[in-house]
């Protein structure tokens, strides 16, 4: 199996294994106190917010590289993904959760449940609000439920570069009147402004204790999952309306070849034949463009040439298939 890549991406695990099954000897130094008596700290921070408020963009900014896919479409994140950053003696594990909204479909309900589960399991909850949208109904509903969370909560107002300062101050005041926040930050996840302040505060307030991951780790997601997410991102960017939400991507085969390149086979599943034709495009143009975009980014991630083969298949009502939910890390809602 290949060694850890120079970009700090995790090496490919054997098929069917989980990152959590890593041998104990590969874990980070368990000692909570380092040289000079400095305390090691480690904690999980869940990022909560309505769809499209910039959670994935902020996770990438906090980690310092791309670990979460991003698109302008809502509900891009389907299951919680962890991005790992180091700040001095602190290891910060950021949980990028699905957007919280009023669910309509079974998949929607699973995503929202996944977001709240991630929040309950975290040491600190970071609540994101879009500065332009302010306290819209989705933000108000989210703030109203924060009383369910016992851990410390911070408020992060994102996209502040697009709003005048008086409006930002009024928004921060109104949000703090609705929920008890330990701190409030104003950031632009896209430009990076204010991100360092968030990171420094979290590094000082996560619990004292050993690190959960090796210090060069930036995510605990298997490469197979990351590659599937990259292809899904390109699918979202190329297609419009409801089609992206009716599709899912699975990595079927990952083979490292003798010449040092990697052969990857993925399947894009849709619910109807008419959707399959849209994904393929006229003369296969759309699927070729999606594949080219995904191949370039996956190759950059694994630092080897990549041969990516995409297949599009119809799987009717995949959104009601428990196995598909397990494959993307979601609990299947029975009702």
């Amino acid at each position: 199996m290949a060694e850890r890549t120079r970009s700090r991406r995790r090496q490919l695990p054997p098929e069917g294994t989980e990152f959590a099954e890593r041998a104990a000897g590969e874990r980070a130094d368990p000692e909570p106190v380092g040289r000079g008596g400095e305390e090691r700290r480690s904690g999980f921070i869940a990022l909560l917010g309505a769809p499209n408020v910039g959670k994935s963009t902020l996770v990438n900014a906090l980690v310092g590289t791309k670990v979460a896919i991003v698109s302008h479409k809502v509900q891009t994140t389907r299951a919680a993904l962890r991005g790992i950053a180091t700040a001095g003696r602190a290891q910060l594990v950021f949980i990028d959760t699905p957007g919280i909204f009023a669910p309509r479909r079974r998949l929607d309900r699973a995503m929202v449940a996944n977001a709240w589960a991630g929040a309950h399991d975290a040491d600190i909850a970071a609540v994101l609000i879009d500065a332009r949208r302010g306290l819209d109904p989705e933000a108000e509903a989210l703030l109203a439920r924060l009383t369910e969370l016992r851990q410390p909560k911070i408020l992060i107002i994102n996209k502040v570069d697009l709003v005048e300062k008086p409006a930002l101050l009024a928004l921060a005041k109104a949000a703090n009147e609705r929920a008890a926040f330990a701190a409030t930050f104003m950031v632009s996840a896209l430009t990076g402004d204010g991100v360092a302040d968030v990171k420094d505060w979290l590094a000082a307030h996560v619990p004292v204790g050993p690190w959960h991951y090796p210090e060069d780790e930036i995510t605990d997601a298997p490469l197979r999952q990351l590659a599937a997410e990259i292809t899904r991102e390109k699918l979202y960017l190329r297609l419009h309306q409801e089609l992206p939400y009716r599709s899912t991507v699975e990595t079927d085969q990952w083979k490292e070849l003798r010449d040092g390149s990697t052969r990857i086979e993925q399947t894009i599943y849709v619910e109807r034949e008419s959707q399959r034709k849209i994904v393929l495009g006229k003369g296969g143009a759309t699927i070729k463009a999606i594949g080219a975009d995904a191949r370039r980014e996956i190759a950059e991630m694994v630092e080897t040439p990549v041969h990516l083969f995409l297949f599009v298949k119809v799987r009717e009502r995949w959104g009601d298939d428990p196995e598909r939910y397990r494959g993307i890390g979601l609990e299947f809602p029975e009702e």
Side-chain angles (χ1 to χ4, degrees), residues 236-255:
Y236 270 51
L237 295 175
R238 289 276 175 178
L239 302 177
H240 306 288
Q241 298 178 344
E242 280 294 305
L243 184 55
Y245 310 116
R246 301 294 181 181
S247 60
T248 188
V249 181
E250 296 180 9
T251 300
D252 304 311
Q253 184 182 98
W254 188 300
K255 186 176 182 180

Side-chain angles (χ1 to χ4, degrees), residues 1-3 11-12 223 254-263 304:
M1 201 59 66
E3 296 178 359
Q11 77 177 65
L12 179 68
L223 280 180
W254 188 300
K255 186 176 182 180
E256 296 176 4
L257 305 180
R258 291 182 179 179
D259 63 1
S261 63
T262 303
R263 177 189 173 94
T304 64

Side-chain angles (χ1 to χ4, degrees), residues 142-160:
L142 172 59
L143 294 175
R145 284 196 60 178
L146 290 182
T147 53
E148 300 175 11
L149 303 179
R150 296 183 178 180
Q151 60 267 66
K153 294 168 280 289
I154 64 173
L155 173 66
I156 302 177
I157 300 177
N158 189 27
K159 306 179 186 180
V160 297

Side-chain angles (χ1 to χ4, degrees), residues 55-70:
K55 296 184 299 299
S56 296
T57 302
L58 181 57
V59 167
N60 292 338
L62 288 162
V63 173
T65 191
K66 183 175 179 177
V67 294
I69 66 172
V70 177

